[in-house]
Amino acid sequence: MSINKNVVIKGKTIELRLDKNSSISNSYGKIDLKKVKERENIIYHSWNVQVETTTFAQEKDNCGRDEVQIMFNLNQDINWFVNKNESSEICEEKGNSGNFDPCYTGSFNTGTERVEMAKGEVCVFRNNNYSTAMNYEAGINFNFKSLQMPTPYFRDLLSKYFSNQNISELEEHFLTHVTKTVITPEMYRVLSEIDTADRFKEYEGVYTEGKMIELTALVLYGIAYHKTDEIKRVPQPNKSDAERVESLREKIQRNPALEYDAQTVADELGMSISKLNRVFRTMYATSLHSYVQEKRLECAAKLLQENNIAISEAAQKSGYSNMSHFSKSFLKKYGVLPKDF
């Protein structure tokens, strides 16, 4: 899927290639587009933007594409602007101190939507060649992750799982305006699993595709059943704690057989055990112990599928020393004993 995005920054058009990793530095600052994952009609991006001076950025159109975008706002409160009127223009308001306060021409009052997003919120937006804009405050790192898919593909997903009488109601709910909810721990977990999907090597593609659909389902469920202002917000860990725990999670993903004694791990991260467990559960909706066991079982299943090795060897290489415990845990997760897998 070859995709370009044209962003106007300080009057200059910058072309971003969305089908590969890219990094653009200029007098305004830097835009990093990382960890691009693409499966069939869904493409996943991780954005990092940091500017040296407060900078107004505008995407005047969507290059003729009609697509559904799911945007995860990870670390800064933002205001952004969606222009539904093709005759309207967005321009920067002087004296702006961060987000933006746009000025515009044309029949703007009925054709625009101002969206306020707190950090830790996710939104669904149908971008049918609309204009969007936002100010980026100087010296602040803005971190987003996003899923994009053609609107016909999104509709096909709905049609697979819902009756025809519900489709129009669902489309009215998700495709006519910007809708949002909070990023739940389950969503954070899936985002992290997509980011480290390369550990599955040649199986990365099928794993990533399943996770993208899972993430879409979690977002739609959150929006359908919750109102943002009614959801109890769980205080998010500070940036330093989150980065340390995320590094731990990636280590577990890649090396589940290692020893992850809670006290040892907490000491290595400079935390108490209670804080480690609290931060881990807040970020990934599960305990450290349960997460390690889950990844060890996934590792064992992968070894049994890909290699002609003894069950005891697969268990040992996955971090299990007690075969009885391994067999019981494997049966609980996969519904069959290791020897029948």
Side-chain angles (χ1 to χ4, degrees), residues 215-284:
L215 186 58
T216 301
L218 289 171
V219 172
L220 298 187
Y221 173 83
I223 290 174
Y225 284 94
H226 303 291
K227 292 182 179 179
T228 301
D229 56 0
E230 294 179 354
I231 296 175
K232 181 180 179 181
R233 295 180 180 275
V234 178
Q236 294 298 306
N238 63 46
K239 181 179 180 181
S240 176
D241 290 342
E243 288 177 348
R244 282 180 287 171
V245 171
E246 169 60 10
S247 177
L248 167 65
R249 190 207 58 80
E250 289 194 7
K251 181 180 177 180
I252 296 169
Q253 289 267 48
R254 299 181 187 280
N255 301 285
L258 297 179
E259 179 60 44
Y260 295 100
D261 172 72
Q263 185 62 65
T264 302
V265 172
D267 291 343
E268 290 175 351
L269 298 184
M271 299 179 179
S272 66
I273 292 180
S274 61
K275 182 177 183 179
L276 168 62
N277 287 329
R278 182 176 68 253
V279 173
F280 200 97
R281 185 176 290 278
T282 297
M283 293 179 66
Y284 307 116

Side-chain angles (χ1 to χ4, degrees), residues 80-307:
W80 58 292
F81 177 77
V82 179
N83 178 14
K84 297 181 179 179
N85 190 315
E86 293 182 356
S87 66
S88 301
E89 295 182 354
I90 310 169
C91 61
E92 182 177 9
E93 181 76 26
K94 301 302 181 182
N96 195 339
S97 61
N99 301 317
F100 69 91
D101 186 9
C103 59
Y104 36 82
T105 60
S107 54
F108 186 78
N109 290 335
T110 58
T112 64
E113 186 172 2
R114 182 185 180 105
V115 182
E116 298 179 356
M117 288 187 70
K119 63 181 179 180
E121 289 186 337
V122 54
C123 73
V124 176
F125 164 51
R126 180 185 180 184
N127 191 351
N128 189 13
N129 216 28
Y130 300 158
S131 295
T132 60
M134 182 179 134
N135 255 21
Y136 292 90
E137 189 174 348
I140 302 296
N141 175 256
F142 294 87
N143 184 213
F144 312 98
K145 294 182 186 291
S146 67
L147 288 176
Q148 294 169 238
M149 66 192 78
T151 299
Y153 178 78
F154 179 81
R155 286 178 163 141
D156 286 343
L157 278 180
L158 294 181
S159 67
K160 288 180 180 179
Y161 304 106
F162 299 95
S163 62
N164 290 335
Q165 62 183 9
N166 292 330
I167 295 299
S168 58
E169 180 181 343
L170 291 167
E171 290 186 357
E172 173 70 22
H173 193 63
F174 295 118
L175 298 183
T176 60
H177 58 288
V178 180
T179 54
K180 65 178 183 176
T181 187
V182 297
I183 307 175
T184 64
E186 290 84 1
M187 295 178 203
Y188 279 115
R189 172 182 56 79
V190 178
L191 286 168
S192 294
E193 289 172 344
I194 293 174
D195 285 340
T196 55
D198 59 337
R199 69 190 186 281
F200 288 102
K201 299 180 181 179
E202 67 268 28
Y203 297 91
E204 176 185 358
V206 66
Y207 177 86
T208 301
E209 185 170 351
K211 288 297 174 181
M212 287 179 174
I213 294 175
E214 179 183 357
L215 186 58
T216 301
L218 289 171
V219 172
L220 298 187
Y221 173 83
I223 290 174
Y225 284 94
H226 303 291
K227 292 182 179 179
T228 301
D229 56 0
E230 294 179 354
I231 296 175
K232 181 180 179 181
R233 295 180 180 275
V234 178
Q236 294 298 306
N238 63 46
K239 181 179 180 181
S240 176
D241 290 342
E243 288 177 348
R244 282 180 287 171
V245 171
E246 169 60 10
S247 177
L248 167 65
R249 190 207 58 80
E250 289 194 7
K251 181 180 177 180
I252 296 169
Q253 289 267 48
R254 299 181 187 280
N255 301 285
L258 297 179
E259 179 60 44
Y260 295 100
D261 172 72
Q263 185 62 65
T264 302
V265 172
D267 291 343
E268 290 175 351
L269 298 184
M271 299 179 179
S272 66
I273 292 180
S274 61
K275 182 177 183 179
L276 168 62
N277 287 329
R278 182 176 68 253
V279 173
F280 200 97
R281 185 176 290 278
T282 297
M283 293 179 66
Y284 307 116
T286 188
S287 67
L288 171 61
H289 175 76
S290 295
Y291 191 80
V292 171
Q293 299 311 308
E294 180 183 356
K295 297 308 156 187
R296 285 178 174 175
L297 290 170
E298 288 180 1
C299 178
K302 183 179 177 183
L303 289 170
L304 291 172
Q305 284 182 318
E306 298 176 12
N307 302 283

